[in-house]
Amino acid sequence: MNEMEIKDNSFLRQFEARLNGHLAKIEYSSQERKVFLTKLVVPEEITEEGFKEDFIKSVLHHIQEQNQRVVPTSPQIAGFLRKNRQYKEMLPVGIRI
């Protein structure tokens, strides 16, 4: 995996990554050591193969480094976690996808 540079914009509550001058973001909210990933926004101009997956992986890695759990409320992110079971341990107890 290519680790991309992720910016945690806590003021706007979103993780951001830039590619070719375009901003991709994952909106979130935090509560009690959990990060709720609510929306994935990738501009149409970003057409690179695998960008969304790399972006989600980088955000999950960042959350993991903060010792937090993740709750995917975005269908795209939930689908990613369904396909990539290695991130299952990041889910809070009782949450299944």
Side-chain angles (χ1 to χ4, degrees):
M1 168 181 90
N2 292 339
E3 187 72 23
M4 64 177 64
E5 186 176 333
I6 298 295
K7 179 184 177 200
D8 181 358
N9 185 334
S10 58
F11 180 72
L12 295 176
R13 292 190 319 254
Q14 63 190 21
F15 295 104
E16 303 172 342
R18 289 198 177 275
L19 183 65
N20 302 329
H22 300 286
L23 179 68
K25 59 187 177 182
I26 295 178
E27 297 175 3
Y28 71 87
S29 65
S30 297
Q31 177 184 355
E32 298 175 8
R33 310 287 306 150
K34 291 187 223 69
V35 179
F36 293 79
L37 301 178
T38 57
K39 187 176 182 183
L40 171 65
V41 180
V42 177
E44 292 177 11
E45 294 84 6
I46 298 179
T47 58
E48 278 70 5
E49 181 83 23
F51 174 81
K52 284 183 186 179
E53 290 80 14
D54 287 345
F55 183 32
I56 294 170
K57 285 178 187 177
S58 295
V59 167
L60 291 174
H61 181 71
H62 176 79
I63 293 169
Q64 197 171 34
E65 285 179 340
Q66 305 301 315
N67 253 353
Q68 295 183 315
R69 300 286 184 179
V70 67
V71 180
T73 59
S74 158
Q76 291 174 302
I77 296 172
F80 174 85
L81 287 171
R82 237 179 257 114
K83 289 182 209 165
N84 297 276
R85 304 302 287 172
Q86 69 267 28
Y87 296 104
K88 185 180 177 184
E89 75 276 355
M90 292 184 68
L91 296 171
V93 175
I95 301 287
R96 295 175 193 230
I97 3 185

